Amino acid sequence: MPRRTAATLATSGEVLRLIRTGEAVTRADLGRVTGLSRPAVQLRVGELLERGLVVERTDAPSTGGRPPVRLEFNAGGGVVLVAALGASRTRVAVCDLAGSELAGRDFAIDVEQGPDVVLPLLMDTWDELLGDRPRSMIRGVGMGVPATVEFAQGRTESARVMASWTGVLIPPIIRERFPVPVLVDNDVNVLAIGEHRGAYPDLDDLMFVKVSTRIGAGIIAGGEILRGALGAAGEIGHIPVLDGAGVLCRCGNTDCVDSVASGTALLRDLREAGKDVKTIADVTALVRAGDAETMAMVRTAGRRIGEVLAGAVNILNPSVVVLGGDVAEAFGPLVSSIREVVYRRSTALATRRLRIEPSRLGSGAGIGGCAVMVLDHVLSPEAVDESMTLSAVRR
């Protein structure tokens, strides 16, 4: 990262960054850190106060005389709308500017009904959750969807998987109703962002693996989400395993780990074996009852996932692999099998300090990750400065 100078710290957006991070909490601090004159500091702080992004506190301790006025980031100065979509379950929420959830709702919906059904439902739900809050408080929208996403455009690119969403540009649809910045990413990427920021903020390298209806991964490398050139990084679900017996995957290839070890695959294989299972909860009941055939299938799924993850660990060398999703959370034997294969097949150096752990945040990582994603964008110095310039032009 290039060294910051007084010139780069002169904008209102940079002043907000300093206040948010606690690097400068008084006007005197801002002048000292940025090199700005007192009138320039006053101007920028005044702009932030007017926008509701900063508040003044007079309860700071005094060393004698008048206590200094402390500047604080105002988490209540706006809201963001967030939605974490899964293949069958979705959570929608309104969060403040610190990412804390103010109101939320869970509901079951099959995303394969398509954007014409799902997106209006999301927007109607946001409207309801906003309640009496003025729409002018909305600063941005963040969404995670269970599809490959070209992040820069917010375009879903899931041929054969979520086929009705293929090529859909989501941001313009949302902006017709909520004219604010809209960010869309893969559902596992937002889980990785949420888990990293919320549970492992001191680690720079993390891989979040979701084992649920489908299998996918989100990668934190060097403290940042790794999306790749177009947003396809982390698609481990479509890496083939060695002994998949020619199972056709929805992507068109055969023996992808998603097609042989996901929750969908487990249910299919158990039904073919004559088990009466409709949901993962039914599989969990069989595991708890000690059903030998079910336990064997779960362990096989874990070994296949571990086979793929071992390669990923060798390539990425994460500090921690976080296992999330309802399948990973439900089955201890599956997690044990994953650990066994990863530690056996990955290199000694890559696993020397590697931890493989269950998600600490559970489903909350999705909403948290969506909030972090959009807040990092709309509260960045560049975005704050651009917003203030636009406001000045409109006047």
Side-chain angles (χ1 to χ4, degrees):
M1 179 180 292
R3 181 176 178 272
R4 295 184 182 274
T5 66
T8 61
L9 290 174
T11 69
S12 296
E14 288 287 357
V15 167
L16 178 65
R17 184 190 67 80
L18 291 170
I19 295 170
R20 281 185 75 203
T21 60
E23 294 175 61
V25 296
T26 66
R27 287 171 173 82
D29 290 343
L30 289 168
R32 184 175 60 255
V33 172
T34 66
L36 292 170
S37 66
R38 288 179 66 182
V41 169
Q42 188 64 29
L43 174 64
R44 283 148 180 76
V45 170
E47 290 175 333
L48 296 172
L49 288 168
E50 183 181 352
R51 292 292 305 280
L53 293 172
V54 167
V55 292
E56 294 180 314
R57 304 291 186 199
T58 57
D59 54 356
S62 174
T63 56
R66 187 175 173 181
V69 175
R70 186 162 47 91
L71 301 169
E72 285 186 0
F73 173 63
N74 182 21
V79 298
V80 290
L81 311 179
V82 292
L85 279 71
S88 57
R89 292 180 303 280
T90 289
R91 181 159 183 83
V92 180
V94 175
C95 297
D96 67 15
L97 298 186
S100 298
E101 187 174 314
L102 302 175
R105 184 176 302 166
D106 291 299
F107 51 85
I109 184 171
D110 182 356
V111 293
E112 301 235 22
Q113 292 183 61
D116 293 341
V117 173
V118 175
L119 294 181
L121 176 59
L122 294 185
M123 291 187 283
D124 289 344
T125 304
W126 281 325
D127 263 328
E128 293 172 13
L129 294 176
L130 280 165
D132 295 333
R133 298 179 184 89
R135 300 311 186 253
S136 59
M137 290 187 69
I138 303 171
R139 305 280 184 172
V141 174
M143 294 176 57
V145 297
T148 304
V149 176
E150 186 181 345
F151 179 74
Q153 301 296 323
R155 186 199 312 269
T156 52
E157 298 288 348
S158 293
R160 298 189 182 94
V161 181
M162 284 179 63
S164 60
W165 291 77
T166 301
V168 174
L169 275 167
I170 295 176
I173 299 171
I174 302 296
R175 281 197 298 264
E176 285 183 7
R177 189 142 154 196
F178 302 106
V180 292
V182 178
L183 278 73
V184 182
D185 205 347
N186 173 277
D187 63 333
V188 194
N189 279 351
V190 299
L191 286 166
I193 293 169
E195 193 81 26
H196 174 242
R197 195 70 64 90
Y200 299 92
D202 297 329
L203 297 182
D204 286 338
D205 298 281
L206 171 152
M207 181 162 59
F208 187 101
V209 180
K210 181 181 179 182
V211 186
S212 185
T213 306
R214 301 295 167 199
I215 296 174
I219 302 161
I220 302 292
E224 303 291 336
I225 190 71
L226 178 65
R227 295 188 174 94
L230 292 175
E235 290 286 350
I236 64 165
H238 299 288
I239 296 175
V241 298
L242 294 176
D243 61 346
V247 177
L248 181 66
C249 180
R250 288 165 40 127
C251 74
N253 293 320
T254 58
D255 294 340
C256 296
V257 68
D258 186 277
S259 69
V260 298
S262 65
T264 301
L266 269 174
L267 289 170
R268 178 199 64 218
D269 292 347
L270 286 167
R271 287 169 189 148
E272 289 177 356
K275 305 293 183 183
D276 182 18
V277 290
K278 297 181 177 63
T279 67
I280 292 301
D282 296 331
V283 184
T284 303
L286 289 173
V287 170
R288 288 176 176 168
D291 184 85
E293 191 171 18
T294 302
M295 295 277 280
M297 287 187 180
V298 167
R299 289 195 180 97
T300 297
R303 285 193 292 271
R304 286 168 169 169
I305 296 168
E307 176 187 323
V308 169
L309 290 187
V313 166
N314 283 339
I315 294 170
L316 297 169
N317 187 203
S319 297
V320 61
V321 174
V322 179
L323 299 175
D326 53 2
V327 174
E329 292 165 3
F331 304 134
L334 180 133
V335 174
S336 299
S337 296
I338 291 174
R339 285 198 182 104
E340 174 195 342
V341 175
V342 170
Y343 285 119
R344 176 162 46 86
R345 291 201 174 187
S346 298
T347 65
L349 183 58
T351 57
R352 182 179 297 170
R353 297 180 180 174
L354 175 69
R355 292 141 57 191
I356 301 175
E357 301 181 348
S359 169
R360 297 180 183 178
L361 302 183
S363 59
I367 285 296
C370 289
V372 168
M373 174 178 67
V374 66
L375 287 169
D376 280 355
H377 174 76
V378 300
L379 295 178
S380 68
E382 298 80 10
V384 170
D385 292 335
E386 182 182 355
S387 175
M388 288 189 170
T389 299
L390 290 173
S391 295
V393 169
R394 289 182 185 129
R395 289 176 188 170

